[in-house]
Amino acid sequence: MQLQKIDHIGVAVPDLEAAIAAYTQLFGVGPSHREVVESDGVETVMFEVGESRIELLGATGPDSKITGFLAKRGGGIHHVAYGVEDVQASLEDLASMGMRLLDARPRKGAGGKLVGFVHPKSASGVLTELCQDDPAAAGHGG
Ligand code: CO
């Protein structure tokens, strides 16, 4: 398994519109992508920063996957995402090393990516995402 780069850092925010305004000011340019991921109950907003990105995460309702995080911490760095060539193979490698996974198999994330998450307990307290471009989504935009 090879981690190719830090693809993005996810930042959970209690007020998505306020955060978008703040980051647009910070970067001098608006977000490149915005999408609701129904399965996670989040709306994600991507800003490009060189070859990496910042992903703002807002909850779409009380059942959001970030509700607990926001209640406990009031927002902040939520996860670090590494680009890999093959999420499935990487998850299998990590499992064989005894690491605890939140996803046994890749699933669809925002922006036409396949993603899989590693439990923070196996990554020094940091929720860790692996992502790759989804071959099935290639050529369809997003
Ligand atoms: Co992410």
Side-chain angles (χ1 to χ4, degrees):
M1 181 190 69
Q2 185 127 32
L3 304 177
Q4 296 173 325
K5 64 170 182 176
I6 293 179
D7 184 89
H8 64 270
I9 293 174
V11 178
V13 300
D15 182 338
L16 191 56
E17 299 309 325
I20 291 169
Y23 274 81
T24 296
Q25 193 171 34
L26 178 66
F27 295 139
V29 60
S32 60
H33 186 76
R34 184 169 184 159
E35 182 177 344
V36 171
V37 180
E38 302 277 3
S39 56
D40 288 349
V42 297
E43 182 164 8
T44 81
V45 179
M46 283 288 188
F47 287 86
E48 308 293 319
V49 189
E51 67 166 13
S52 298
R53 299 178 293 160
I54 294 291
E55 175 183 44
L56 301 181
L57 299 161
T60 57
D63 294 334
S64 170
K65 276 198 175 165
I66 64 169
T67 298
F69 182 92
L70 288 174
K72 206 154 69 173
R73 304 205 209 169
I77 291 181
H78 179 261
H79 64 271
V80 174
Y82 297 95
V84 298
E85 204 163 299
D86 184 334
V87 172
Q88 177 71 66
S90 297
L91 289 172
E92 285 168 9
D93 282 354
L94 293 173
S96 73
M97 292 176 211
M99 295 185 85
R100 199 165 144 195
L101 306 179
L102 293 173
D103 297 298
R105 253 167 291 148
R107 56 195 179 82
K108 282 184 199 297
K113 297 269 188 179
L114 282 179
V115 303
F117 281 86
V118 180
H119 195 282
K121 284 232 157 78
S122 287
S124 302
V126 179
L127 176 62
T128 298
E129 174 184 345
L130 305 175
C131 65
Q132 72 175 103
D133 290 326
D134 183 354
H140 296 274

